[in-house]
Structure formats: structure tokens, C-alpha cells
Amino acid sequence: VRVFSFFNVSPVQWLVQVGASAGKALPQRVKIVEVGPRDGLQNEKTLVPTEVKIHLIDMLSEAGLPVIEATSFVSPEWVPQMADQVEVMKGINRRPGVSYPVLTPNLKGFQAAVKAGAAEVAIFGAASELFSKKNINCSVDESLQRFEEVTKAAKEAGVRVRGYVSCVLGCPYEGQVSPDKVAQVAKRLYSMGCYEISLGDTIGVGTPGGMAELLEAVSREVPVDALAVHCHDTYGQALANILIALQMGISVVDSSVAGLGGCPYAQGASGNVATEDVVYMLHGLGIQTGVDLPKLMDAGAFICRSLNRKTSSKVAQATCKL
Amino acid sequence: MGNFPTTVKHCLSYEELIQDYPWLARWLQEEKLALTHEYPEYVKIVEVGPRDGLQNEKEMVPTGVKIQLIDMLSETGLPVIEATSFVSSKWVPQMADHTEVLQAIHRSSHVRYPVLTPNMHGFQDAVAAGATEVAVFGSASETFSRKNINCSIDESILRFEEVICTAKQRQIPVRGYVSCALGCPYEGPIESTKVAEVVKRLYELGCYEVSLGDTIGVGTPGSMAKMLHSVKKEVPSSALAVHCHDTYGQALANILTALQMGICTVDSSVAGLGGCPYAQGASGNVSTEDVLYMLHGMGIKTGVDLSKVIEAGDFICKALNRKTNSKVAQARGDNSMHCRMKKINT
């Protein structure tokens, strides 16, 4: 009887809604977060000239992508590809309505980013202790403490913060990763003030079963509207994993134009899923993205020519007339 | 539907609700089952690399290599391996050695070796060579039928009727294929009711199974679901298979959709052999390795040893002097860290 005083729905309806995560209808609209210019280029061996990066971002803006990760305010010693971070931020043509988040691993990076005009930043946590130590030289807890400084400063400056959790479906050092561990890290990032948490299958080992299990665990701690999936296609599983995620209520998907960014743990293997292939699937499902696929493919063709490499996008390969 | 705040959820505990409404537990259990996905426990993989795969490779493959490939595949646990095609060697030179291949392969007792037989002539040759299962290829698109086999869909089915009847008399099972199930290179999108019609005809003629081919790989989970919905009205799911091409990268997502809709037979090609004849440089068949990786990761049994399939894939790629199309094989390559990360998904 208590139930009726809280909601105007019957208890049965409420429980069905709460339990029906796997049976939800697909979202009508999906937000694509384009990570090619940062995550993609960062994992490409060839150093890309600044003007090329700027032109790429401008082309992606024209293609209708709502979010384009522009660069990373890490130390150029660690990531030489991102050394021109300030120049890129200042050189791009910022389209109204489009967000250009940048990575900020610490307070110093955050301050430099804001100075360069960033209106949104991103922080990168890990669900695996070993990965955290090997990647950023500290434990998961220590990294979260570091990020708390950034989120506090961001709140004061009115800057939005996006959180990433890596190794959500497996770690190159630890192997299996517990979904509850991922949920805990996601929860901390969310309660720190991150408006969205992107769950990264860093080595692409995940399959739909594991993805469903993961999302069930994480969505108990963080509302599903605040979650995104960042799938790698190293084992060809990305689109299947994204499909399952959509079925479970996820409506934000990270991807990389032309599938830029190989896997640093497997020479010659692929990394990020190609934006073109994701958009093709979403449009085929009747889901809106706001993205113009031909213009997106133009951007992909441009960056592949500049990098002198073949596209990793199957849609681009299939439609190429060469 | 929304997300209720965690605090409120805690106030309304499931246990207390069940106390008030004892019939709820059983009702909810049934409701939830209808809403969550149930996957098949077992999926049968039909390996088409030696036939569909090689047929679409430019390099002519020596007979010895074909035989060795099939023999390696027979050791992997694959239950069905499409061995060759009894078409005229004028049309398909790659399959000219069909009799030799069929007679020389080591036939494992756990494996079936269907061969393509486009007409009575081919069927008779196949039986003479020792075939114990055959396959016939229809199309859901009139234009594709005419361009591919020089006759209308109706005419092709009449041709197959002869084959199927004779096969029935000799107790030789016949598998049917329907191409362009999700789109045609000439006609564009194909009506799902048309696909269902052709599938039904092949099934009623006597094909024990009909494989639905996304010939140009344009399908997406949306069109796959729509097509299967129509086809399942005419033919039981247990008699259906999906043959997805990965030309647009959609194959695994399409296969996942098919599994969710009760399909439990999947065609695939070792190393993703067989490009797309309609898009130069583009990929064609989905890789058996990648399909297995997904299925095993989901806890679905196949009886197939993934590492042995990777070995067979390595062998044929070396022989063809080409790189594998399988992402799993690429990731597990010699120099990679992934090679040592076997514990996550095998």
C-alpha cells in the first residue's frame, strides 16, 4: 500500500520497468563521441602536422558530429603526438552546438586547457590496478584523488568533465576484470562530478555476454543516461557489443573516424571502432545521429591520405571506388 | 521509463512487496524471461571457406592445398564443411578439381561435406564422386538471378526441384541458399516477404535447411530482424541459417540479432576468405574465427577449437599469399601481447 503513495504507477509496472533492462526498446537518438583526433591520432605512429589535425577536426565538425575530442593536455614528453595541443585548440573552427572536450590527466593539464579555451575536459581512470600502475604510474585510488582536484577546479570554472574507465572488459596484465570493480570506479567518477562515464573495452576482448553483465553492474551505480561505451574492434566484436549496449539503454557511443588508432598491445591489430561503421549500423536501425555519412567518409579519406594508411572502416572500403 | 533514485529504490524493497503481493514473484519471473534475451545453447557453424571462400579468391589454389585445408578444418571440430562445387569449370575455374577434391579429402565421421549442385548434371557428377549432401542456390532478387545464373527465380526453382526430388530418392539431404536476402547489388533493398516466399518454396520442396545470405553485406540488425520476422512466419527457426557478409562490418551484429531471434546455425569462412565480387577490395564472408570468439565469449557451445581454426586460417593465407581478414587471428598474431592473454576468452 506504501507503494502507491510514491508513484502513480502500479507496483507491477514499476518492477517491470526496473527489471526490464535487456528488453528496452532501442534509443531513438544516439550521441556519437568522435575520438579520432585524440585517441585515434595518439595511437598512430606517424606524427601528424598541426594543420592536418585542425583540418580533420573542422571536417568532422561539418559532418555533424556533436562531440569531437580535440586533443590532450598531457606532457609532450609522454605523448609527442599531442604536443601541439594549444595550437590545435586555438586553430580549430568551433561549430556552435558542438563540444570539443580535451584530456586533462591532472590539475596542471587542466589549467593549461582552460587557458587555451577548453570548455569541457576528460579524465581517465582504470578498472585494473596493474594497468593503472603501468599506464600512469599510480594506483587507481591515487589516480582518482588526482582527478578530484581536476573536478573541483572544473566545477569552480564551470567546465564540464567526462570520465573514462579503461579495461572494463579485460586487462592486458590482469586478464579478467570484475564488473563490480568497474562499477565502483564509475560510481566514484560520477559522484566526483563527471556528467558522463565512458566505459572502455581497452583491448577489445569483450563479447556481448560480458558487455551485458558489465552494464547491469554499472547501471546499478550510475544512471544509464550518464553512461557511454567505448568499444575497441581488436577482436571484431565492437559492433555486436555496441548493439547489446543499445539494447540495454546506452545512447552514447564513442568511435574513431576511419578506425584510427591501432591497439598498442597487438602489433598490426585494430583498435578503435570506425565511426563510419557505427553510423551505418545506427542509421540502418532507424536511430538518428545527426551525422552526415558521406561527409564523415570524406574526413576519413582525408586523414588516411595524410597518414598514408588504409582506412580501417569497412563501410569506407566498400564504398571506395578505387 | 526512467531511473528511480537509488535511495527511493531502497525504500521499496522487493521482499516487502512480495510479502504484500505473494503472486507477484512468479508473474515477474515470467515477465522478465520474456524481456531478456535467450540465446541458443549450441550453434552449428557451417564452414564455407573451401567453397564460397576460395571461389571468390583471385588466386588459383592448387588441389593439394584445398585438400589440406579441408583436412585441417576437419580436425577443428567443425560439424559441416562445404567442400567444393559441381559447377561447370568454364564458369568457375577455381572449382574445376571438384571430383579430385571430394575423393581425396579425409572424411571425418563427425563432419558433413556438402557440395554445391546447380543442376541435375552437377548433381549426378557429385553423387558419382561420392557426395553425401548437396546444396542449391536460389535468389530473392529476379535481376540477381538472371545476371548470376541466367534465368528467373521461378526457372531456377524448377531446376532445383529436379535435383531435390532425385536427392530425396537417394536419401541425400539438400541444403538451400537464398541470396540477396537483405539487399541486391542491382535491385537495392529486397522486400522481406519476397525473401520469405523463396525460402518457403525451397523448404517445401524438401531442403532440410535454408541459409539466408546477405550477399553484399548491406544488412544491419534492423533489416535482419525485419527479414527474419517475415521468414519465421513461413519456416521454423530450426530450419534456418544466416550467411552474413562483412562488407560493411555488420556481420557480427547481424548474427547476434539472428541468435536473439532463435536462429542457431551460422555460416562463416575461415580467415574471412572470399572477397566481395561487387565491391573491389572490400571484404566478403565473415571470419569463422571472429564468429567463434563471439559465441564462446557468450557461453554458447560450438564444439569447435578456435586455435585450430586459426592454424587452418594461417595455412591458407600463406598459401594464398594474403593477409587474414579475421580480427581475432590478427590480434593473436606472433608478435602480439594478445597472444599471451589467453585467459580472457578462448
Side-chain angles (χ1 to χ4, degrees), chain A residues 2 205 233 235 247 280 314, chain B residues 16 218 246 293 327 338:
Chain A
R2 233 184 343 255
V205 289
D233 205 35
Y235 288 76
Q247 290 174 343
Y280 185 90
K314 291 220 159 165
Chain B
E16 293 198 52
V218 289
D246 205 35
Y293 186 89
K327 292 219 160 168
H338 284 256

Side-chain angles (χ1 to χ4, degrees), chain A:
Chain A
V1 169
R2 233 184 343 255
V3 176
F4 295 100
S5 62
F6 276 94
F7 310 103
N8 284 325
V9 320
S10 77
V12 168
Q13 276 177 304
W14 170 73
L15 277 167
V16 166
Q17 284 168 15
V18 164
S21 50
K24 265 190 192 173
L26 294 176
Q28 279 188 348
R29 200 181 173 91
V30 161
K31 178 175 82 175
I32 304 267
V33 174
E34 171 59 49
V35 302
R38 202 284 308 168
D39 190 359
L41 292 183
Q42 185 167 314
N43 284 298
E44 290 287 327
K45 291 181 205 152
T46 322
L47 267 180
V48 178
T50 309
E51 325 81 67
V52 169
K53 286 184 185 129
I54 291 169
H55 191 57
L56 172 65
I57 294 169
D58 287 348
M59 286 184 88
L60 292 168
S61 300
E62 289 296 302
L65 287 155
V67 185
I68 302 166
E69 205 177 58
T71 186
S72 179
F73 283 78
V74 283
S75 153
E77 259 176 67
W78 289 111
V79 187
Q81 182 79 280
M82 300 285 129
D84 54 4
Q85 57 212 200
V86 177
E87 234 184 303
V88 168
M89 274 315 274
K90 296 199 170 159
I92 56 175
N93 197 0
R94 295 215 222 181
R95 195 170 187 204
V98 180
S99 186
Y100 300 90
V102 300
L103 244 69
T104 52
N106 48 39
L107 194 57
K108 183 166 163 218
F110 172 78
Q111 286 157 348
V114 171
K115 199 167 160 207
E120 183 175 327
V121 301
I123 54 181
F124 250 91
S128 149
E129 287 294 339
L130 270 174
F131 188 84
S132 191
K133 283 221 160 53
K134 295 238 181 188
N135 217 35
I136 52 177
N137 230 355
C138 62
S139 73
V140 172
D141 268 338
E142 285 164 349
S143 73
L144 291 171
Q145 278 167 32
R146 220 181 269 177
F147 298 145
E148 220 154 357
E149 289 177 359
V150 174
T151 52
K152 278 202 182 106
K155 224 184 262 183
E156 282 163 28
V159 170
R160 293 214 306 179
V161 184
R162 187 184 208 233
Y164 281 90
V165 183
S166 35
C167 296
V168 299
L169 290 170
C171 168
Y173 311 103
E174 282 185 13
Q176 298 268 12
V177 172
S178 142
D180 287 328
K181 175 76 178 176
V182 180
Q184 276 167 42
V185 178
K187 183 180 181 178
R188 277 197 68 179
L189 287 170
Y190 186 66
S191 34
M192 258 188 243
C194 291
Y195 76 94
E196 192 170 271
I197 313 293
S198 176
L199 306 167
D201 181 12
T202 306
I203 46 172
V205 289
T207 55
M211 175 61 89
E213 215 192 312
L214 170 74
L215 290 176
E216 227 168 328
V218 179
S219 58
R220 276 186 236 132
E221 305 297 340
V222 178
V224 76
D225 291 336
L227 294 174
V229 289
H230 184 113
C231 297
H232 277 195
D233 205 35
T234 320
Y235 288 76
Q237 309 295 305
L239 284 191
N241 289 341
I242 289 168
L243 180 62
I244 279 283
L246 297 175
Q247 290 174 343
M248 295 195 66
I250 300 293
S251 57
V252 184
V253 175
D254 298 0
S255 59
S256 176
V257 62
L260 290 180
C263 179
Y265 304 96
Q267 196 183 16
S270 65
N272 286 305
V273 67
T275 306
E276 299 92 316
D277 300 359
V278 174
V279 170
Y280 185 90
M281 180 173 81
L282 295 175
H283 290 182
L285 281 163
I287 295 173
Q288 285 165 27
T289 62
V291 177
D292 181 327
L293 186 52
K295 284 190 179 165
L296 175 63
M297 290 202 284
D298 284 343
F302 163 74
I303 192 63
C304 286
R305 272 195 309 269
S306 315
L307 284 167
N308 195 26
R309 66 160 261 176
K310 283 196 180 136
T311 180
S312 291
S313 155
K314 291 220 159 165
V315 169
Q317 282 167 32
T319 30
C320 176
K321 300 230 162 73
L322 291 166

Side-chain angles (χ1 to χ4, degrees), chain B residues 292-346:
Chain B
L292 287 173
Y293 186 89
M294 180 173 81
L295 297 176
H296 293 176
M298 291 169 71
I300 295 172
K301 296 193 180 74
T302 62
V304 185
D305 183 333
L306 173 56
S307 45
K308 289 191 174 160
V309 177
I310 295 177
E311 271 172 40
D314 277 345
F315 163 75
I316 191 63
C317 288
K318 278 201 184 84
L320 284 167
N321 195 26
R322 63 160 268 176
K323 282 194 180 141
T324 180
N325 273 340
S326 156
K327 292 219 160 168
V328 170
Q330 280 166 35
R332 293 258 179 100
D334 291 331
N335 286 323
S336 84
M337 192 168 185
H338 284 256
C339 190
R340 302 190 283 283
M341 296 188 300
K342 296 221 167 93
K343 39 187 169 154
I344 300 176
N345 257 320
T346 42

